Amino acid sequence: VTPTAPTYDAGTDIITIPATVGVQYSVDGIGDVIVGAMDDPITANTIVRARPKPGYSFTGTFVTEWLIVFS
C-alpha cells in the first residue's frame, strides 16, 4: 500500500487524515487516529506518521512522516 499525505487547513488549524486502505496514522505518537478531520485544532507543530495495518506493507520508498507546521 502507499500512504497518502494528510492535509492541513491553516485557517482553522485542523489536520485531515486521509482514508487510505491498509494505512494507519498517528499524530505526535498518540495512538491511532480516525480518518477525516481531527476534532481539535493543533496549537503547535505536529508530526503525523503512517504505518501499514496488519496484513499490509509499504513497498518501495514513500514518505511516512509529515511535519505539520502550525501557523
Side-chain angles (χ1 to χ4, degrees), residues 50-62:
R51 69 175 190 277
K53 288 183 177 180
Y56 291 88
S57 64
F58 295 158
T59 55
T61 304
F62 301 105

Side-chain angles (χ1 to χ4, degrees), residues 18-67:
T20 306
V21 173
V23 180
Q24 185 66 51
Y25 295 87
S26 64
V27 176
D28 277 342
I30 301 173
D32 298 332
V33 294
I34 298 171
V35 299
M38 295 178 62
D39 292 334
D40 298 314
I42 63 170
T43 57
N45 292 348
T46 302
I47 295 175
V48 178
R49 291 182 176 90
R51 69 175 190 277
K53 288 183 177 180
Y56 291 88
S57 64
F58 295 158
T59 55
T61 304
F62 301 105
V63 174
T64 60
E65 184 174 294
W66 300 267
L67 172 62

Side-chain angles (χ1 to χ4, degrees), residues 5 7 13 25:
T7 58
D13 294 318
Y25 295 87

